[in-house]
Amino acid sequence: MTDTDASILGAGAPQRLQPVGHWDWHIKTPFSQGWRIGRLLITGGQLSADETGNVVGLGDIETQTRNVYDNLTRVLAEGGATWADVVKLNTYYVYDGNEADAQTFWETMTRVRLNYIADPGPAATAVRVAGLMYPGFLIEADAIAVLP
């Protein structure tokens, strides 16, 4: 490990992030909502789901995006981070409608995302995918943060 690695990771054991009352999968899994290792915080992919894994905002990209980003905010906060600490953001979205309306769909999703992202924002990627974990989910996002 280099000195740079040590300064980013810091000292101490990894901290599993599992906010109380946060959404969970339909089946029992060992997956975590995120991990904090020193100053580095990595979230798992967040969905628009309730505590039992059911879709919140079925068919509504605006509602699902807000719920996903609220979930990301909860995981970041659990590890002591805010959106100002996020350095990398990945967003995966499902759109299978008319191609002429694809840009409007993306812009609707992005307008909601911009309410959360600090300025200057993180390095970000948005990827259109054929589907997510279960039918009905339209968006999933994960983030990497480095705490001061």
Side-chain angles (χ1 to χ4, degrees):
M1 181 182 319
T2 68
D3 289 341
T4 302
D5 295 333
S7 70
I8 290 172
L9 295 179
Q15 172 192 356
R16 184 178 191 207
L17 306 175
Q18 292 286 100
V20 174
H22 203 69
W23 72 271
D24 208 350
W25 293 267
H26 287 151
I27 61 172
K28 181 88 172 128
T29 71
F31 299 121
S32 303
Q33 297 293 353
W35 283 91
R36 178 173 172 179
I37 306 119
R39 295 177 44 228
L40 180 67
L41 189 149
I42 303 167
T43 75
Q46 296 300 302
L47 295 161
S48 183
D50 64 18
E51 290 181 31
T52 57
N54 295 311
V55 178
V56 173
L58 190 62
D60 182 347
I61 189 60
E62 190 170 352
T63 297
Q64 285 199 29
T65 302
R66 188 171 295 104
N67 193 264
V68 163
Y69 279 73
D70 284 349
N71 286 340
L72 273 171
T73 300
R74 290 176 68 199
V75 177
L76 291 168
E78 179 87 358
T82 70
W83 281 99
D85 302 315
V86 174
V87 295
K88 178 64 174 135
L89 177 65
N90 296 310
T91 303
Y92 309 92
Y93 66 97
V94 177
Y95 178 77
D96 58 6
N98 182 328
E99 277 307 308
D101 297 327
Q103 183 174 341
T104 300
F105 183 90
W106 183 86
E107 288 174 355
T108 299
M109 174 185 71
T110 298
R111 274 192 293 280
V112 174
R113 296 185 313 154
L114 291 175
N115 290 312
Y116 294 84
I117 297 170
D119 185 6
T125 303
V127 180
R128 185 173 166 183
V129 296
L132 294 169
M133 182 172 70
Y134 295 116
F137 288 115
L138 299 176
I139 180 171
E140 181 173 345
D142 62 67
I144 298 172
V146 177
L147 285 81

